[in-house]
């Protein structure tokens, strides 16, 4: 550089207001391997006939459902779940502009499409996407890894209805009605009809209560009655029938499978969750999401109102069978699914089950058997002669066989065995606390199924399956909930939320395809 010369800063030209002879093609600004191109390519290949049937002929023109589906999936890939934010992105983001063909549906259109049009037709679309990925060799739908998680509902956390609360309220009304009836009997027994005696009601309802209260009022109308009794009868006549009608409607919403629901989203059940905003173990309205994965791709998803995983497996897998028209060759799951009903169903369907039972991990410790030697499952059993041997060495002979229905409605067969004599046994205080000779209850079918599960899980393949489950299905939940911030649903109602989960599952699969 010549002596005396100084450097100067040089800036690139600012062409903000420079006019263009031809407008640019938006597609030229998008990379060939960009996720939006993957979404466009995959959704163009699938059959959306079922979705097209949700539209009626006539009226004004509609945005094409294939375009709206692409927009929604791409929005979920980018953690955009709000319809208003999707509307905003369609006017600002070139990727959304390209995939929508410069269409700008508003947030109401987007929300109606997601909440109404896609209901009950998204699952077949999801299945087609999975099969396309399977053809590319990215996953295998024969081998499933299943687990569940709870996701909070879009509902008020503090407005709820409890099944036990309804039961207690009805019992309280019945008891108070009995007290009023007894009082009326003491005043005018001859004028009361036994048909309205509340003690004879198997089930209390508004009609029976109204009838009984009317009978009591008629019987004591001319009698000298305590003022408080007349006030209570007046309150009961005005309020109890209405309250019982309300309880009946609430019980209808609850059904037989759950004990609570949210008033602002009756499909949601109150569940204990790991994400606790109060830090005190508070229950929150939520749904139980079940997924089956392979190679960290979601193969099947289902949404449930039950709080435990045990009662969800059969419905979850039956949905898989209905969608793919086949049964999986095997399934791997944790101890939350290890029930007799599930084991038996899997055996009947000839699905190899690498499913733990509740005591599997505990039984792997050497100290367990010694510490629990008095438990039924650790007592020696002679299958040929059908007897157990108690810790003192006595034979426990079969006493009876009876059916037993569990809380899920599944009928089990229970066999009882009784020791010959426990009197004078030095181990009695450690062995049992029954007033007579020890009686044990045994479910032989469950023991058989658990034994088969133990053998299967301890094989070389079983060990490999157990290890793979931890890094196949669990990271999917971590990715959805923590990496992509989906911890609460945007919609309300079981059908709408099932649609939302389908969009989330497709977004996860296509996001992973481009990774």
């Amino acid at each position: 550089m010549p002596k005396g010369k100084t450097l100067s800063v040089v800036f690139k030209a600012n062409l903000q207001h420079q006019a263009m002879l031809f407008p640019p093609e938006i597609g030229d600004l998008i990379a060939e391997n960009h996720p939006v191109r993957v979404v466009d390519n995959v959704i163009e290949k699938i059959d959306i006939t079922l979705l097209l049937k949700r539209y009626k002929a006539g009226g004004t023109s509609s945005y094409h459902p294939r375009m709206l589906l692409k927009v929604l999936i791409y929005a979920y890939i980018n953690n955009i779940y709000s319809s208003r934010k999707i509307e905003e992105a369609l006017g600002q983001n070139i990727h959304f502009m390209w995939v929508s063909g410069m269409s700008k549906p508003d947030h109401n259109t987007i929300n109606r499409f997601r909440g109404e049009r896609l209901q009950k037709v998204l699952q077949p679309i999801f299945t087609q996407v999975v099969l396309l990925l399977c053809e590319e060799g990215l996953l295998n739908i024969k081998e499933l890894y299943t687990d569940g998680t709870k996701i909070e509902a879009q509902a008020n956390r503090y407005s709820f209805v409890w099944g036990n609360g309804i039961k207690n309220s009805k019992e309280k009304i019945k008891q108070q009605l009995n007290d009023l009836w007894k009082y009326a009997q003491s005043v005018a027994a001859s004028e009361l009809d036994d048909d309205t005696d509340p003690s004879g009601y198997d089930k209390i309802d508004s009609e029976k209560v109204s009838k009984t209260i009317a009978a009591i009022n008629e019987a004591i109308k001319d009698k000298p009655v305590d003022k408080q009794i007349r006030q209570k009868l007046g309150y009961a006549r005005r309020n109890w029938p209405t309250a019982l009608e309300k309880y009946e409607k609430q019980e209808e919403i609850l059904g037989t499978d759950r004990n609570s629901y949210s008033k602002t989203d009756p499909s949601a059940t109150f569940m204990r969750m790991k994400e606790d905003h109060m830090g005190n173990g508070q229950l929150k309205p939520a749904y139980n999401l079940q997924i089956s994965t392979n190679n960290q791709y979601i193969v099947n998803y289902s949404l449930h109102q039950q709080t435990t995983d045990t009662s969800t497996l059969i419905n979850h897998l039956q949905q898989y069978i209905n969608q793919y028209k086949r049964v999986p060759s095997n399934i791997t799951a944790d101890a939350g699914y290890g029930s007799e009903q599930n084991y038996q169903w899997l055996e009947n369907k000839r699905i190899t089950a690498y499913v733990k039972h509740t005591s599997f991990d505990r039984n792997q410790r050497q100290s367990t058997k010694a510490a629990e030697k008095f438990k039924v499952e650790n007592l020696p059993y002679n299958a040929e002669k059908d007897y157990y041997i108690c810790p003192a060495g006595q034979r426990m002979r079969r006493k009876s066989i009876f059916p037993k229905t569990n809380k899920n409605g599944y009928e089990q067969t229970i066999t009882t065995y009784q020791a010959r004599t426990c009197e004078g046994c030095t181990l009695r205080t450690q062995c049992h606390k029954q007033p007579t000779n020890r009686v044990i209850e045994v479910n032989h079918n469950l023991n058989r199924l658990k034994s088969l599960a133990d053998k299967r899980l301890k094989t070389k393949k079983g060990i490999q399956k157990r290890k793979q489950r931890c890094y196949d299905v669990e990271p999917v939940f971590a990715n959805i909930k923590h990496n992509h911030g989906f911890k609460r649903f945007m919609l309300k109602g079981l059908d709408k939320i099932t649609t939302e989960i389908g969009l989330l599952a497709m977004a996860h699969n296509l996001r992973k395809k481009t990774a």
Side-chain angles (χ1 to χ4, degrees):
M1 178 183 298
K3 196 171 182 179
K5 293 282 186 178
T6 57
L7 296 175
S8 60
V9 180
V10 180
F11 295 102
K12 296 184 183 295
N14 183 3
L15 304 177
Q16 178 183 358
H17 301 292
Q18 176 67 49
M20 293 185 181
L21 185 59
F22 297 104
E25 166 61 42
I26 294 180
D28 294 340
L29 305 177
I30 300 173
E32 289 297 322
N33 60 346
H34 196 277
V36 74
R37 291 192 182 274
V38 175
V39 172
D40 180 68
N41 182 47
V42 171
I43 302 304
E44 280 294 333
K45 293 178 181 178
I46 63 174
D47 179 11
I48 60 168
T49 302
L50 291 176
L51 179 55
L52 293 174
K53 289 181 179 178
R54 300 300 297 270
Y55 289 81
K56 295 181 180 179
T60 187
S61 60
S62 302
Y63 288 105
H64 201 283
R66 195 184 296 272
M67 179 273 291
L68 291 171
L69 183 59
K70 291 176 186 178
V71 168
L72 275 173
I73 294 173
Y74 183 65
Y76 274 64
I77 285 177
N78 288 276
N79 311 337
I80 303 175
Y81 309 118
S82 164
S83 59
R84 290 183 182 273
K85 290 185 178 180
I86 295 173
E87 177 187 7
E88 183 181 348
L90 285 166
Q92 297 178 356
N93 189 306
I94 62 169
H95 303 114
F96 280 91
M97 293 177 184
W98 179 77
V99 79
S100 68
M102 297 301 292
S103 297
K104 294 182 180 179
D106 63 15
H107 64 274
N108 286 323
T109 302
I110 294 167
N111 222 23
R112 280 196 302 270
F113 178 75
R114 177 173 58 179
E116 299 173 12
R117 302 284 191 187
L118 286 178
Q119 276 191 41
K120 302 185 184 302
V121 299
L122 189 62
Q123 189 94 35
I125 293 173
F126 169 81
T127 303
Q128 291 182 66
V129 172
V130 172
L131 291 174
L132 284 173
L133 298 176
C134 189
E135 289 174 5
E136 295 182 30
L138 297 173
L139 68 148
N140 172 12
I141 64 172
K142 297 179 182 178
E143 300 182 355
L144 304 181
Y145 299 88
T146 300
D147 204 355
T149 191
K150 297 175 179 67
I151 299 181
E152 188 177 353
Q154 184 64 247
N156 191 311
R157 294 166 175 165
Y158 310 105
S159 61
F160 41 76
V161 173
W162 291 98
N164 288 337
I166 296 172
K167 183 179 178 181
N168 292 337
S169 296
K170 291 175 72 174
E171 285 296 323
K172 187 176 179 180
I173 289 175
K174 186 175 181 181
Q175 182 59 48
Q176 290 179 337
L177 192 62
N178 277 326
D179 292 342
L180 290 171
W181 179 266
K182 289 176 182 177
Y183 178 86
Q185 278 186 318
S186 67
V187 174
S190 60
E191 299 181 31
L192 290 171
D193 186 355
D194 289 341
D195 291 340
T196 54
D197 185 350
S199 62
Y201 294 159
D202 294 331
K203 183 181 177 182
I204 193 169
D205 58 40
S206 59
E207 184 179 348
K208 291 176 180 177
V209 168
S210 298
K211 187 177 179 181
T212 300
I213 292 173
I216 294 172
N217 278 323
E218 180 64 26
I220 66 174
K221 64 180 181 180
D222 298 326
K223 303 291 188 297
V225 177
D226 188 289
K227 182 180 179 181
Q228 290 184 344
I229 295 296
R230 291 202 182 275
Q231 288 177 343
K232 192 167 187 178
L233 279 168
Y235 177 86
R237 179 178 55 79
R238 292 191 304 271
N239 295 283
W240 287 358
T242 304
L244 287 168
E245 288 177 0
K246 181 183 73 172
Y247 295 150
E248 286 177 10
K249 292 177 181 177
Q250 290 175 341
E251 286 178 327
E252 187 177 344
I253 294 172
L254 281 171
T256 58
D257 296 332
R258 55 190 185 137
N259 190 42
S260 65
Y261 73 83
S262 169
K263 290 182 179 179
T264 51
D265 182 4
S267 297
T269 305
F270 277 78
M271 305 180 184
R272 199 172 302 281
M273 303 175 66
K274 294 178 181 177
E275 298 87 3
D276 185 3
H277 67 288
M278 296 290 285
N280 58 2
Q282 189 180 47
L283 300 175
K284 291 191 282 189
Y287 293 88
N288 189 350
L289 170 63
Q290 298 289 313
I291 64 170
S292 292
T293 66
N294 185 278
N295 196 26
Q296 295 186 1
Y297 285 92
I298 299 175
V299 176
N300 185 38
Y301 65 88
S302 61
L303 212 59
H304 305 267
Q305 297 169 301
Q306 296 89 344
T307 57
T308 59
D309 292 337
T310 311
S311 56
T312 65
L313 184 66
I314 293 175
N315 289 336
H316 177 73
L317 291 181
Q318 188 59 57
Q319 179 177 287
Y320 170 97
I321 294 170
N322 294 340
Q323 289 296 327
Y324 292 99
K325 310 302 180 187
R326 58 178 299 169
V327 296
S329 60
N330 62 68
I331 180 174
T332 307
D334 64 16
Y337 302 88
S339 69
E340 180 185 3
Q341 184 177 6
N342 290 341
Y343 282 136
Q344 190 63 63
W345 188 87
L346 291 167
E347 184 179 73
N348 293 343
K349 293 290 184 179
R350 297 184 180 180
I351 301 172
T352 305
Y354 296 97
V355 180
K356 294 180 182 179
H357 51 80
T358 53
S359 57
F360 176 82
D361 288 328
R362 189 173 70 251
N363 291 343
Q364 304 313 301
R365 297 192 290 269
Q366 294 294 328
S367 59
T368 299
K369 197 163 187 178
E372 300 177 350
K373 64 180 180 179
F374 296 104
K375 286 195 171 184
V376 175
E377 53 265 32
N378 292 325
L379 299 180
Y381 175 63
N382 187 315
E384 184 179 349
K385 296 184 179 180
D386 192 19
Y387 65 81
Y388 277 83
I389 300 176
C390 78
Q394 288 190 54
R395 290 187 179 184
M396 303 179 74
R397 299 292 185 182
R398 186 174 69 191
K399 182 181 179 183
S400 64
I401 300 176
F402 63 91
K404 182 180 180 180
T405 303
N406 66 14
K407 62 181 181 181
N408 293 324
Y410 182 73
E411 189 172 291
Q412 302 170 313
T413 301
I414 305 298
T415 306
T416 62
Y417 296 82
Q418 187 171 31
R420 185 179 303 171
T421 176
C422 295
E423 188 175 350
C425 179
T426 57
L427 299 175
R428 177 167 182 168
T429 56
Q430 297 172 272
C431 184
H432 70 97
K433 296 181 180 180
Q434 298 174 20
T436 59
N437 297 330
R438 184 180 183 185
V439 177
I440 60 174
E441 294 185 355
V442 179
N443 185 335
H444 285 298
N445 187 51
L446 177 58
N447 289 344
R448 176 186 69 83
L449 293 167
K450 287 168 68 173
S451 178
L452 290 173
D454 282 341
K455 292 177 182 177
R456 198 177 295 121
L457 289 164
K458 291 176 183 177
T459 62
K460 186 176 180 180
K461 186 174 182 180
I463 294 171
Q464 185 270 329
K465 287 283 186 184
R466 282 155 51 195
K467 289 179 179 178
Q468 186 170 343
R469 187 198 70 81
C470 297
Y471 58 77
D472 200 296
V473 62
E474 291 181 3
V476 175
F477 288 136
N479 187 48
I480 290 172
K481 297 176 78 172
H482 298 283
N483 294 347
H484 297 283
F486 193 91
K487 296 183 179 180
R488 197 179 191 197
F489 290 108
M490 301 296 296
L491 307 179
K492 294 182 180 181
L494 189 61
D495 289 337
K496 290 183 178 181
I497 288 177
T498 302
T499 300
E500 195 168 7
I501 285 297
L503 291 168
L504 200 66
M506 277 197 285
H508 169 83
N509 286 350
L510 296 181
R511 186 193 296 121
K512 181 169 176 59
K513 174 179 165 61
T514 60

